[in-house]
Amino acid sequence: MTQTAALAKALLNGEVISIMTGFRDFAITNVPREIGRSIERKFGVVVDKTPTPFKSKRNPSHTGVYYRYRLPKIKMNREGIKAMKKYVKENS
């Protein structure tokens, strides 16, 4: 299975992907780039990007935001979702 197919399958299954899960589950080191390039532009869908604040465990004064990505099942994404399903089926 290709990296794009694995990412598309996870999104189609309703999984929420973050930088950590992308690295751990798909060996993707730059999830935001791959979501944009391999999913949104390739299939013409819009992926929800939810900002999630965090605080470092080692240094509590270090805070920031990371994003969690989810594929909404909306009318606008209908054709792209069909294309994603076809791609996953062909590349599994």
Side-chain angles (χ1 to χ4, degrees):
M1 179 177 290
T2 66
Q3 178 177 308
T4 302
L7 193 57
K9 183 177 179 183
L11 289 168
L12 288 169
N13 289 337
E15 294 180 31
V16 177
I17 299 171
S18 68
I19 292 173
M20 177 60 89
T21 60
F23 184 73
R24 184 186 63 219
D25 299 340
F26 311 109
I28 299 173
T29 57
N30 194 338
V31 171
R33 178 188 65 210
E34 294 306 321
I35 292 286
R37 181 191 321 173
S38 300
I39 302 298
E40 289 183 319
R41 282 181 284 232
K42 184 172 188 159
F43 299 110
V45 296
V46 176
V47 175
D48 281 343
K49 299 163 189 77
T50 306
T52 306
F54 73 89
K55 185 186 292 188
S56 172
K57 291 179 183 177
R58 290 184 191 165
N59 183 0
S61 64
H62 178 83
T63 60
V65 174
Y66 70 92
Y67 290 88
R68 298 177 66 170
Y69 302 93
R70 183 181 75 73
L71 180 66
K73 307 287 195 279
I74 56 176
K75 185 177 181 179
M76 186 172 147
N77 284 346
R78 191 172 294 150
E79 292 301 316
I81 289 173
K82 287 179 187 176
M84 287 172 71
K85 287 178 181 178
K86 181 180 176 189
Y87 183 84
V88 168
K89 188 175 181 179
E90 292 172 354
N91 291 286
S92 291

